[in-house]
Structures are given as C-alpha cells and as structure tokens.
Amino acid sequence: MDMKEAQDRSRRAERIGWTAIALVLGLGLLVVLGVMSGVLLFGYLAVSVVP
C-alpha cells in the first residue's frame, strides 16, 4: 500500500512538473512573439514615417 501511494505521489509530482515546464515554455514563446511583433511594427512605422 505504501509503495502504491509513493508511486501515485511521484506520478502526480511528475505531472505537475511537466505542466509547469509547458507553462513556462508557452509564456516564453508568447514573450518572444510579442517582442518580435513589436520590433517589426516599430520598424514598419519608422520606415513609413520617414520615406
């Protein structure tokens, strides 16, 4: 019984860990996309304002 509880606990911890990793990667991807779109928008505006 103790072994099964330990396995359940480690499985739950592993799932929480993978979820945290996925959240961090997703947020990082959003930040990268946001920065890239900001840079592209700024570049476009700079080019269009100064012909």
Short mmCIF file of all heavy atoms in Angstrom, two decimals:
data_model
loop_
_atom_site.label_atom_id
_atom_site.label_comp_id
_atom_site.label_asym_id
_atom_site.label_seq_id
_atom_site.Cartn_x
_atom_site.Cartn_y
_atom_site.Cartn_z
N MET A 1 0.84 -1.21 0.00
CA MET A 1 0.00 0.00 0.00
C MET A 1 0.87 1.25 0.00
O MET A 1 0.59 2.20 -0.71
CB MET A 1 -0.90 -0.02 1.25
CG MET A 1 -2.09 0.89 1.14
SD MET A 1 -3.20 0.40 -0.20
CE MET A 1 -4.55 1.51 0.08
N ASP A 2 1.94 1.25 0.80
CA ASP A 2 2.84 2.41 0.84
C ASP A 2 3.51 2.63 -0.50
O ASP A 2 3.71 3.75 -0.93
CB ASP A 2 3.89 2.22 1.94
CG ASP A 2 3.25 2.29 3.33
OD1 ASP A 2 2.16 2.89 3.43
OD2 ASP A 2 3.83 1.76 4.28
N MET A 3 3.88 1.52 -1.15
CA MET A 3 4.56 1.64 -2.45
C MET A 3 3.63 2.28 -3.47
O MET A 3 4.03 3.14 -4.25
CB MET A 3 4.97 0.23 -2.92
CG MET A 3 5.90 0.23 -4.10
SD MET A 3 7.48 0.94 -3.63
CE MET A 3 8.40 0.65 -5.12
N LYS A 4 2.36 1.88 -3.45
CA LYS A 4 1.39 2.46 -4.41
C LYS A 4 1.20 3.95 -4.14
O LYS A 4 1.12 4.76 -5.08
CB LYS A 4 0.06 1.72 -4.29
CG LYS A 4 -0.93 2.12 -5.37
CD LYS A 4 -2.20 1.31 -5.27
CE LYS A 4 -3.15 1.58 -6.41
NZ LYS A 4 -3.36 3.00 -6.67
N GLU A 5 1.13 4.33 -2.86
CA GLU A 5 0.98 5.75 -2.53
C GLU A 5 2.19 6.55 -3.01
O GLU A 5 2.05 7.65 -3.54
CB GLU A 5 0.81 5.92 -1.01
CG GLU A 5 -0.55 5.51 -0.51
CD GLU A 5 -0.66 5.66 0.99
OE1 GLU A 5 0.23 6.30 1.58
OE2 GLU A 5 -1.63 5.14 1.57
N ALA A 6 3.38 5.99 -2.84
CA ALA A 6 4.59 6.67 -3.28
C ALA A 6 4.60 6.82 -4.80
O ALA A 6 4.97 7.87 -5.33
CB ALA A 6 5.83 5.90 -2.82
N GLN A 7 4.17 5.77 -5.50
CA GLN A 7 4.11 5.85 -6.97
C GLN A 7 3.10 6.90 -7.41
O GLN A 7 3.36 7.68 -8.32
CB GLN A 7 3.72 4.48 -7.55
CG GLN A 7 4.88 3.49 -7.58
CD GLN A 7 4.46 2.16 -8.16
OE1 GLN A 7 3.27 1.83 -8.24
NE2 GLN A 7 5.43 1.36 -8.56
N ASP A 8 1.94 6.93 -6.76
CA ASP A 8 0.92 7.94 -7.10
C ASP A 8 1.46 9.34 -6.85
O ASP A 8 1.26 10.24 -7.66
CB ASP A 8 -0.35 7.72 -6.28
CG ASP A 8 -1.13 6.50 -6.76
OD1 ASP A 8 -0.83 6.01 -7.86
OD2 ASP A 8 -2.03 6.05 -6.02
N ARG A 9 2.16 9.52 -5.73
CA ARG A 9 2.68 10.83 -5.38
C ARG A 9 3.73 11.27 -6.41
O ARG A 9 3.73 12.41 -6.87
CB ARG A 9 3.29 10.80 -3.98
CG ARG A 9 3.56 12.19 -3.43
CD ARG A 9 4.07 12.12 -2.00
NE ARG A 9 3.10 11.53 -1.11
CZ ARG A 9 3.35 10.52 -0.27
NH1 ARG A 9 4.55 9.98 -0.23
NH2 ARG A 9 2.42 10.05 0.51
N SER A 10 4.63 10.36 -6.80
CA SER A 10 5.67 10.72 -7.76
C SER A 10 5.06 10.99 -9.13
O SER A 10 5.50 11.89 -9.85
CB SER A 10 6.73 9.62 -7.85
OG SER A 10 6.19 8.47 -8.49
N ARG A 11 4.03 10.22 -9.48
CA ARG A 11 3.37 10.44 -10.77
C ARG A 11 2.70 11.82 -10.79
O ARG A 11 2.76 12.54 -11.77
CB ARG A 11 2.34 9.34 -11.01
CG ARG A 11 2.11 9.05 -12.48
CD ARG A 11 1.30 7.79 -12.68
NE ARG A 11 2.10 6.58 -12.46
CZ ARG A 11 1.72 5.54 -11.74
NH1 ARG A 11 0.53 5.53 -11.16
NH2 ARG A 11 2.49 4.49 -11.60
N ARG A 12 2.07 12.17 -9.65
CA ARG A 12 1.42 13.48 -9.55
C ARG A 12 2.46 14.60 -9.62
O ARG A 12 2.26 15.60 -10.32
CB ARG A 12 0.64 13.58 -8.24
CG ARG A 12 -0.33 14.73 -8.20
CD ARG A 12 -1.13 14.75 -6.91
NE ARG A 12 -1.79 13.48 -6.63
CZ ARG A 12 -1.64 12.77 -5.51
NH1 ARG A 12 -0.84 13.21 -4.56
NH2 ARG A 12 -2.27 11.65 -5.34
N ALA A 13 3.57 14.43 -8.93
CA ALA A 13 4.63 15.44 -8.96
C ALA A 13 5.20 15.58 -10.37
O ALA A 13 5.48 16.69 -10.83
CB ALA A 13 5.74 15.05 -7.99
N GLU A 14 5.36 14.45 -11.07
CA GLU A 14 5.87 14.49 -12.44
C GLU A 14 4.91 15.26 -13.34
O GLU A 14 5.32 16.08 -14.16
CB GLU A 14 6.06 13.06 -12.95
CG GLU A 14 6.81 13.00 -14.28
CD GLU A 14 6.99 11.56 -14.75
OE1 GLU A 14 6.56 10.64 -14.03
OE2 GLU A 14 7.53 11.38 -15.84
N ARG A 15 3.61 15.00 -13.18
CA ARG A 15 2.61 15.69 -14.00
C ARG A 15 2.64 17.19 -13.72
O ARG A 15 2.58 18.01 -14.63
CB ARG A 15 1.22 15.12 -13.69
CG ARG A 15 0.17 15.56 -14.71
CD ARG A 15 -1.19 14.95 -14.42
NE ARG A 15 -1.13 13.51 -14.21
CZ ARG A 15 -1.64 12.88 -13.14
NH1 ARG A 15 -2.25 13.56 -12.19
NH2 ARG A 15 -1.55 11.58 -13.03
N ILE A 16 2.76 17.58 -12.44
CA ILE A 16 2.83 18.99 -12.07
C ILE A 16 4.09 19.62 -12.68
O ILE A 16 4.05 20.73 -13.21
CB ILE A 16 2.82 19.15 -10.53
CG1 ILE A 16 1.44 18.79 -9.98
CG2 ILE A 16 3.20 20.56 -10.13
CD1 ILE A 16 1.39 18.71 -8.48
N GLY A 17 5.20 18.87 -12.64
CA GLY A 17 6.45 19.38 -13.22
C GLY A 17 6.32 19.63 -14.72
O GLY A 17 6.72 20.67 -15.22
N TRP A 18 5.76 18.65 -15.44
CA TRP A 18 5.60 18.83 -16.89
C TRP A 18 4.65 19.98 -17.19
O TRP A 18 4.86 20.73 -18.15
CB TRP A 18 5.08 17.54 -17.53
CG TRP A 18 6.15 16.51 -17.71
CD1 TRP A 18 6.22 15.28 -17.13
CD2 TRP A 18 7.32 16.62 -18.55
NE1 TRP A 18 7.34 14.64 -17.52
CE2 TRP A 18 8.04 15.42 -18.40
CE3 TRP A 18 7.82 17.62 -19.37
CZ2 TRP A 18 9.25 15.21 -19.07
CZ3 TRP A 18 9.02 17.40 -20.03
CH2 TRP A 18 9.71 16.21 -19.89
N THR A 19 3.60 20.14 -16.37
CA THR A 19 2.68 21.26 -16.58
C THR A 19 3.39 22.58 -16.38
O THR A 19 3.21 23.52 -17.17
CB THR A 19 1.49 21.15 -15.61
OG1 THR A 19 0.87 19.87 -15.77
CG2 THR A 19 0.47 22.23 -15.87
N ALA A 20 4.24 22.66 -15.35
CA ALA A 20 4.98 23.90 -15.10
C ALA A 20 5.94 24.19 -16.25
O ALA A 20 6.05 25.34 -16.70
CB ALA A 20 5.76 23.78 -13.79
N ILE A 21 6.63 23.15 -16.75
CA ILE A 21 7.55 23.33 -17.87
C ILE A 21 6.78 23.83 -19.10
O ILE A 21 7.21 24.76 -19.79
CB ILE A 21 8.28 22.01 -18.17
CG1 ILE A 21 9.26 21.70 -17.04
CG2 ILE A 21 9.01 22.09 -19.51
CD1 ILE A 21 9.89 20.33 -17.15
N ALA A 22 5.62 23.23 -19.36
CA ALA A 22 4.82 23.64 -20.52
C ALA A 22 4.35 25.09 -20.37
O ALA A 22 4.36 25.86 -21.34
CB ALA A 22 3.62 22.71 -20.67
N LEU A 23 3.94 25.48 -19.15
CA LEU A 23 3.51 26.86 -18.92
C LEU A 23 4.65 27.83 -19.16
O LEU A 23 4.48 28.86 -19.82
CB LEU A 23 3.00 27.01 -17.48
CG LEU A 23 1.56 26.58 -17.24
CD1 LEU A 23 1.25 26.63 -15.75
CD2 LEU A 23 0.61 27.49 -18.00
N VAL A 24 5.85 27.51 -18.64
CA VAL A 24 6.99 28.41 -18.81
C VAL A 24 7.36 28.53 -20.29
O VAL A 24 7.60 29.64 -20.78
CB VAL A 24 8.20 27.89 -17.99
CG1 VAL A 24 9.48 28.64 -18.37
CG2 VAL A 24 7.92 28.05 -16.50
N LEU A 25 7.38 27.39 -21.00
CA LEU A 25 7.70 27.44 -22.43
C LEU A 25 6.65 28.23 -23.20
O LEU A 25 6.99 29.03 -24.09
CB LEU A 25 7.80 26.01 -22.99
CG LEU A 25 9.06 25.24 -22.60
CD1 LEU A 25 9.00 23.83 -23.16
CD2 LEU A 25 10.31 25.95 -23.09
N GLY A 26 5.38 28.04 -22.87
CA GLY A 26 4.32 28.79 -23.54
C GLY A 26 4.43 30.28 -23.30
O GLY A 26 4.30 31.08 -24.23
N LEU A 27 4.69 30.67 -22.05
CA LEU A 27 4.84 32.08 -21.74
C LEU A 27 6.07 32.66 -22.44
O LEU A 27 6.03 33.77 -22.97
CB LEU A 27 4.96 32.28 -20.22
CG LEU A 27 3.66 32.10 -19.45
CD1 LEU A 27 3.93 32.19 -17.96
CD2 LEU A 27 2.65 33.16 -19.85
N GLY A 28 7.16 31.90 -22.47
CA GLY A 28 8.36 32.36 -23.17
C GLY A 28 8.09 32.57 -24.65
O GLY A 28 8.54 33.55 -25.24
N LEU A 29 7.35 31.63 -25.24
CA LEU A 29 7.02 31.76 -26.66
C LEU A 29 6.17 33.01 -26.90
O LEU A 29 6.39 33.74 -27.87
CB LEU A 29 6.27 30.50 -27.11
CG LEU A 29 6.02 30.37 -28.62
CD1 LEU A 29 7.34 30.25 -29.36
CD2 LEU A 29 5.15 29.17 -28.89
N LEU A 30 5.20 33.26 -26.01
CA LEU A 30 4.37 34.46 -26.14
C LEU A 30 5.21 35.72 -26.04
O LEU A 30 5.02 36.67 -26.81
CB LEU A 30 3.28 34.47 -25.06
CG LEU A 30 2.06 33.59 -25.32
CD1 LEU A 30 1.13 33.63 -24.11
CD2 LEU A 30 1.33 34.07 -26.56
N VAL A 31 6.15 35.74 -25.11
CA VAL A 31 7.02 36.92 -24.94
C VAL A 31 7.86 37.13 -26.19
O VAL A 31 7.96 38.25 -26.70
CB VAL A 31 7.92 36.75 -23.70
CG1 VAL A 31 9.02 37.81 -23.68
CG2 VAL A 31 7.08 36.84 -22.43
N VAL A 32 8.44 36.04 -26.72
CA VAL A 32 9.26 36.15 -27.93
C VAL A 32 8.42 36.67 -29.10
O VAL A 32 8.85 37.56 -29.83
CB VAL A 32 9.91 34.79 -28.27
CG1 VAL A 32 10.51 34.80 -29.66
CG2 VAL A 32 10.98 34.46 -27.23
N LEU A 33 7.23 36.12 -29.27
CA LEU A 33 6.36 36.58 -30.36
C LEU A 33 5.97 38.04 -30.18
O LEU A 33 5.93 38.80 -31.15
CB LEU A 33 5.11 35.70 -30.43
CG LEU A 33 5.32 34.30 -31.01
CD1 LEU A 33 4.04 33.50 -30.90
CD2 LEU A 33 5.79 34.37 -32.45
N GLY A 34 5.69 38.42 -28.95
CA GLY A 34 5.32 39.81 -28.67
C GLY A 34 6.47 40.76 -28.99
O GLY A 34 6.27 41.81 -29.61
N VAL A 35 7.68 40.40 -28.57
CA VAL A 35 8.84 41.25 -28.85
C VAL A 35 9.09 41.33 -30.34
O VAL A 35 9.33 42.42 -30.88
CB VAL A 35 10.09 40.69 -28.11
CG1 VAL A 35 11.36 41.37 -28.61
CG2 VAL A 35 9.93 40.88 -26.61
N MET A 36 9.00 40.19 -31.04
CA MET A 36 9.23 40.20 -32.49
C MET A 36 8.20 41.06 -33.20
O MET A 36 8.54 41.85 -34.08
CB MET A 36 9.18 38.77 -33.04
CG MET A 36 10.48 38.01 -32.84
SD MET A 36 10.37 36.28 -33.32
CE MET A 36 9.59 36.38 -34.90
N SER A 37 6.93 40.93 -32.83
CA SER A 37 5.89 41.74 -33.49
C SER A 37 6.09 43.22 -33.15
O SER A 37 5.87 44.07 -34.01
CB SER A 37 4.50 41.27 -33.06
OG SER A 37 4.33 41.44 -31.67
N GLY A 38 6.51 43.53 -31.92
CA GLY A 38 6.78 44.92 -31.56
C GLY A 38 7.92 45.49 -32.39
O GLY A 38 7.85 46.62 -32.88
N VAL A 39 8.99 44.71 -32.55
CA VAL A 39 10.12 45.17 -33.35
C VAL A 39 9.71 45.37 -34.80
O VAL A 39 10.05 46.38 -35.42
CB VAL A 39 11.29 44.16 -33.23
CG1 VAL A 39 12.36 44.43 -34.29
CG2 VAL A 39 11.89 44.21 -31.84
N LEU A 40 8.96 44.42 -35.34
CA LEU A 40 8.51 44.54 -36.74
C LEU A 40 7.59 45.75 -36.91
O LEU A 40 7.73 46.51 -37.88
CB LEU A 40 7.77 43.26 -37.16
CG LEU A 40 8.64 42.04 -37.40
CD1 LEU A 40 7.78 40.81 -37.66
CD2 LEU A 40 9.59 42.27 -38.56
N LEU A 41 6.68 45.95 -35.96
CA LEU A 41 5.76 47.09 -36.03
C LEU A 41 6.54 48.40 -35.95
O LEU A 41 6.31 49.34 -36.72
CB LEU A 41 4.74 47.01 -34.91
CG LEU A 41 3.66 48.10 -34.89
CD1 LEU A 41 2.79 47.98 -36.14
CD2 LEU A 41 2.81 47.97 -33.64
N PHE A 42 7.50 48.47 -35.02
CA PHE A 42 8.31 49.68 -34.87
C PHE A 42 9.12 49.95 -36.14
O PHE A 42 9.20 51.08 -36.61
CB PHE A 42 9.26 49.52 -33.67
CG PHE A 42 10.10 50.74 -33.42
CD1 PHE A 42 9.53 51.86 -32.82
CD2 PHE A 42 11.44 50.76 -33.77
CE1 PHE A 42 10.29 52.98 -32.58
CE2 PHE A 42 12.20 51.89 -33.53
CZ PHE A 42 11.64 53.00 -32.93
N GLY A 43 9.70 48.88 -36.71
CA GLY A 43 10.44 49.04 -37.95
C GLY A 43 9.55 49.52 -39.09
O GLY A 43 9.93 50.42 -39.86
N TYR A 44 8.37 48.97 -39.19
CA TYR A 44 7.42 49.36 -40.24
C TYR A 44 7.03 50.84 -40.08
O TYR A 44 7.02 51.61 -41.03
CB TYR A 44 6.19 48.46 -40.19
CG TYR A 44 5.09 48.91 -41.13
CD1 TYR A 44 5.20 48.71 -42.50
CD2 TYR A 44 3.95 49.53 -40.62
CE1 TYR A 44 4.20 49.12 -43.36
CE2 TYR A 44 2.95 49.93 -41.49
CZ TYR A 44 3.08 49.73 -42.84
OH TYR A 44 2.08 50.14 -43.68
N LEU A 45 6.73 51.22 -38.84
CA LEU A 45 6.35 52.62 -38.59
C LEU A 45 7.51 53.56 -38.89
O LEU A 45 7.32 54.63 -39.47
CB LEU A 45 5.89 52.78 -37.13
CG LEU A 45 4.53 52.17 -36.79
CD1 LEU A 45 4.25 52.30 -35.31
CD2 LEU A 45 3.42 52.82 -37.60
N ALA A 46 8.72 53.17 -38.47
CA ALA A 46 9.88 54.03 -38.73
C ALA A 46 10.10 54.20 -40.22
O ALA A 46 10.40 55.29 -40.70
CB ALA A 46 11.12 53.41 -38.07
N VAL A 47 9.93 53.14 -40.99
CA VAL A 47 10.12 53.22 -42.44
C VAL A 47 9.01 54.04 -43.08
O VAL A 47 9.27 54.84 -43.98
CB VAL A 47 10.19 51.80 -43.05
CG1 VAL A 47 10.10 51.85 -44.57
CG2 VAL A 47 11.48 51.09 -42.62
N SER A 48 7.78 53.84 -42.61
CA SER A 48 6.65 54.53 -43.26
C SER A 48 6.62 56.01 -42.88
O SER A 48 6.16 56.84 -43.66
CB SER A 48 5.33 53.86 -42.88
OG SER A 48 5.12 53.98 -41.48
N VAL A 49 7.12 56.38 -41.69
CA VAL A 49 7.10 57.78 -41.28
C VAL A 49 8.17 58.57 -42.01
O VAL A 49 7.97 59.70 -42.40
CB VAL A 49 7.30 57.90 -39.75
CG1 VAL A 49 7.63 59.33 -39.34
CG2 VAL A 49 6.04 57.41 -39.03
N VAL A 50 9.34 57.96 -42.21
CA VAL A 50 10.45 58.63 -42.90
C VAL A 50 10.64 57.99 -44.24
O VAL A 50 11.40 57.03 -44.38
CB VAL A 50 11.76 58.54 -42.05
CG1 VAL A 50 12.87 59.33 -42.72
CG2 VAL A 50 11.51 58.97 -40.64
N PRO A 51 10.00 58.52 -45.29
CA PRO A 51 10.12 57.91 -46.63
C PRO A 51 11.48 58.19 -47.26
O PRO A 51 12.07 59.21 -47.02
CB PRO A 51 9.00 58.55 -47.42
CG PRO A 51 8.63 59.79 -46.70
CD PRO A 51 9.08 59.64 -45.28
#
